[in-house]
Amino acid sequence: MKLHLHNTLSGKKEEFVPLHDKEVGLYSCGPTVYWYQHIGNLRSYIFVDILKRVLKYDGYAVKHVMNVTDVGHLTSDADTGEDKMEKAAAQEGKKAEDIANYYLNIFKDDFHKLNISEPDIWCKATEHIQEQVEMIKILEAKGLTYKTNDGIYFDTSKIDDYGKLARLHIEDMEAGARVELGEKKNKTDFALWKFSGEKGRRLQEWGSPWGVGFPGWHIECSTMASKYLGEQFDVHTGGKEHVPVHHTNEIAQSEAAFGKKPWVKYWLHGEWLMFKDGKMSKSAGEIYTVAELEKRGFSPLAYRYFCLGAHYKKPLNFDWEALTNAQNAYDRLKNIIAEFKDDGQTNEQYLTAFADAINDDLDMPGALAILWEMLRDQRAEGKLRAVRKMEEIFGLDLLKKENVEIPAEIKKLAAERETARQSKDWAKADELRKVLEEKGFLIKDTPEGFEITKT
Ligand code: AMP
Ligand code: ZN
């Protein structure tokens, strides 16, 4: 089966045909690095990781770009409220740049723990201010912008197909608009550049032809995506809340500036991780990080397994019982696979069914069901090699032998034994070996040094 993906732009599942043969340009809206990314955020990046893995499995070379929003994302997506980065910097009494780097590093650690591959290019908004100014200048030259008291705005009424991604009914929206318009001409108009206001109010600000200020959040993604992937590219991803505002505005300004339609061929949106009947979000209160899951004894890859149990376009309810079930199923899976011996064959029958599932709009629950079916099939051969191939998509370390957590006390005893051995005090070395065995650990000496395993 050929790869089919659900394209928000058409509202349908479509066969995937990239612009350039076997190369795919992929842009993902990345984190706003003012705080920890929670496991809800990370569900979105597990979805992107699966997409990348499936594209590679199908033989495509993928160039993946992800932005890091370190300026311009206001507490409301609609150009009002405070800048999230500025607010965090003021609260923590640190430089915005230090805050961004701190949270970005934790985000990257979480990627590694969850086996999410990093993008080929990380790009920070603050490192692309000039490019954003240039893009606003193009829009201005085309007569699509206007100035208000607080910034330069994009005039959405000049775009015939504005809102096509979300199928927004602009006239109804205007008629029913209760939102304070201020100096905006249309409710859907959005800021390209915002003025700083009185001097010294902001920590991050830059000069521009229109005045000192900072870029809007939407222009950041349009500018950086096209800088690295071209004026037209294949796939753009994000969370589903980005459809009506952020991605709608990215499309409007990019198609206007570059004069190419569609700016992006396929738009893919992930559904949310839910908690207690709502989207897991910082504003709703209760959120959890990967570190918190670990503290409670869960492995990050059990969380990945939990996420793969739901299609990316379906909401997924998080609770501790569901995560415990996922951890148990994941452990069982690993234990079963640990017993497999390589019989020199690859089970092609299950692999074909597996490829059909992943190519059907990344059907991970379907792919996992096929894995389980194969494991239960007493007569199936070539299981180990089939699992190895499936692992290219799952990324669950199903074939990796458990890294036993070695307590500090054991490591210390093992080191003492090694010292005894080096000084040829065989009696002491033997005695320490016995102590370790009594505590449930085996020591094996190898040319590279000693190894500790659990008995
Ligand atoms: P932010 O750092 O707030 O810009 O969010 C980063 C990404 O996480 C965005 O693509 C959001 O759509 C996504 N996201 C936020 N909350 C959730 C959630 N509860 N479930 C899935 N994705 C989420
Ligand atoms: Zn974006």
Side-chain angles (χ1 to χ4, degrees):
M1 182 178 169
K2 291 197 173 136
L3 176 59
H4 284 66
L5 297 171
H6 187 279
N7 188 353
T8 310
L9 201 53
S10 65
K12 292 195 206 97
K13 224 189 263 185
E14 293 175 29
E15 185 183 332
F16 178 70
V17 185
L19 293 164
H20 308 286
D21 196 25
K22 283 303 219 184
E23 280 167 27
V24 177
L26 167 65
Y27 183 85
S28 303
C29 284
T32 309
V33 281
Y34 69 111
W35 211 69
Y36 301 99
Q37 290 279 301
H38 54 76
I39 55 171
N41 299 130
L42 288 157
R43 181 187 182 200
S44 283
Y45 300 109
I46 290 174
F47 142 58
V48 177
D49 184 58
I50 294 293
L51 170 65
K52 271 169 74 173
R53 286 170 181 261
V54 171
L55 288 167
K56 288 180 184 168
Y57 193 93
D58 286 348
Y60 295 105
V62 182
K63 179 171 177 188
H64 185 209
V65 179
M66 191 180 289
N67 66 308
V68 176
T69 303
D70 54 354
V71 68
H73 195 171
L74 306 188
T75 43
S76 147
D77 283 359
D79 300 320
T80 55
E82 290 173 85
D83 185 318
K84 293 182 181 185
M85 288 300 301
E86 294 270 319
K87 195 175 161 191
Q91 273 169 357
E92 295 193 27
K94 291 187 188 139
K95 284 203 294 195
E97 190 189 345
D98 294 341
I99 298 227
N101 288 335
Y102 177 77
Y103 291 114
L104 180 59
N105 283 335
I106 294 175
F107 184 56
K108 288 183 183 175
D109 286 347
D110 287 346
F111 264 37
H112 296 145
K113 288 179 186 171
L114 291 165
N115 275 350
I116 299 173
S117 63
E118 286 195 39
D120 302 291
I121 297 171
W122 289 103
C123 41
K124 283 186 175 165
T126 54
E127 289 169 5
H128 296 77
I129 300 294
Q130 200 45 46
E131 289 94 329
Q132 294 175 75
V133 167
E134 291 306 320
M135 184 158 171
I136 301 170
K137 280 203 224 160
I138 295 172
L139 296 171
E140 184 180 44
K142 292 193 177 190
L144 299 170
T145 64
Y146 61 91
K147 188 173 175 178
T148 73
N149 220 356
D150 80 342
I152 302 296
Y153 279 76
F154 185 92
D155 186 345
T156 54
S157 69
K158 299 243 165 100
I159 306 295
D160 292 344
D161 56 3
Y162 180 79
K164 63 185 169 185
L165 182 74
R167 283 167 275 282
L168 298 177
H169 298 289
I170 305 300
E171 276 152 30
D172 298 352
M173 282 175 68
E174 293 299 342
R178 254 176 251 123
V179 176
E180 197 53 57
L181 260 182
E183 286 182 70
K184 282 203 314 192
K185 291 186 184 166
N186 310 287
K187 185 186 167 223
T188 47
D189 293 354
F190 55 91
L192 296 163
W193 186 263
K194 285 208 120 189
F195 302 135
S196 290
E198 76 229 49
K199 220 167 179 274
R201 194 172 69 90
R202 285 187 57 93
L203 299 166
Q204 303 193 99
E205 56 186 11
W206 296 266
S208 83
W210 312 282
V212 175
F214 61 101
W217 174 40
H218 318 304
I219 198 80
E220 156 195 345
C221 283
S222 287
T223 306
M224 298 198 290
S226 281
K227 170 170 179 175
Y228 295 106
L229 298 172
E231 292 183 351
Q232 232 179 356
F233 62 93
D234 301 295
V235 192
H236 194 311
T237 67
K240 74 159 190 183
E241 75 282 12
H242 291 156
V243 176
V245 180
H246 184 48
H247 290 169
T248 286
N249 294 342
E250 280 188 45
I251 291 177
Q253 65 199 3
S254 304
E255 293 188 349
F258 306 131
K260 298 225 170 74
K261 277 189 194 188
W263 176 51
V264 174
K265 215 171 161 191
Y266 301 90
W267 286 85
L268 267 65
H269 292 99
E271 253 287 355
W272 294 330
L273 184 77
M274 311 290 284
F275 188 59
K276 295 186 179 164
D277 300 325
K279 175 189 177 196
M280 183 178 280
S281 71
K282 193 164 181 246
S283 54
E286 264 185 292
I287 53 174
Y288 295 97
T289 59
V290 170
E292 276 155 352
L293 299 192
E294 287 179 298
K295 250 188 247 158
R296 290 174 186 238
F298 294 99
S299 53
L301 291 181
Y303 177 65
R304 183 177 170 103
Y305 179 85
F306 172 71
C307 289
L308 300 192
H311 189 268
Y312 76 92
K313 285 196 75 66
K314 294 254 167 66
L316 173 60
N317 290 315
F318 176 81
D319 62 49
W320 297 107
E321 194 186 337
L323 188 62
T324 305
N325 291 340
Q327 178 78 56
N328 291 341
Y330 175 65
D331 292 343
R332 209 160 59 238
L333 196 55
K334 283 201 68 156
N335 288 337
I336 295 170
I337 292 168
E339 301 300 317
F340 286 175
K341 301 272 174 301
D342 188 0
D343 59 9
Q345 302 186 56
T346 309
N347 193 304
E348 295 296 342
Q349 190 193 335
Y350 282 105
L351 272 185
T352 304
F354 174 80
D356 284 349
I358 61 172
N359 282 324
D360 182 10
D361 198 23
L362 322 177
D363 179 7
M364 286 304 118
L368 279 178
I370 289 158
L371 170 66
W372 277 108
E373 198 185 318
M374 181 178 79
L375 301 193
R376 291 195 190 102
D377 184 345
Q378 302 290 339
R379 279 175 305 186
E381 294 180 329
K383 292 185 189 181
L384 183 88
R385 290 189 186 199
V387 170
R388 190 175 292 149
K389 188 76 189 146
M390 291 177 184
E391 256 297 284
E392 289 177 21
I393 302 294
F394 290 138
L396 288 167
D397 286 357
L398 294 176
L399 291 155
K400 206 163 162 185
K401 297 275 179 269
E402 231 27 84
N403 272 333
V404 191
E405 265 301 308
I406 311 293
E409 178 213 10
I410 302 297
K411 284 188 197 156
K412 193 164 160 272
L413 287 172
E416 279 174 28
R417 175 188 164 270
E418 183 61 16
T419 313
R421 223 170 65 85
Q422 296 289 339
S423 48
K424 302 196 181 346
D425 185 350
W426 308 119
K428 188 168 179 200
D430 272 355
E431 189 192 320
L432 284 166
R433 175 195 286 278
K434 279 194 199 116
V435 175
L436 282 162
E437 277 175 13
E438 276 157 25
K439 291 181 184 286
F441 291 87
L442 277 183
I443 293 267
K444 195 174 141 202
D445 296 309
T446 72
E448 290 80 39
F450 63 90
E451 263 176 27
I452 319 173
T453 49
K454 252 187 172 156
T455 49

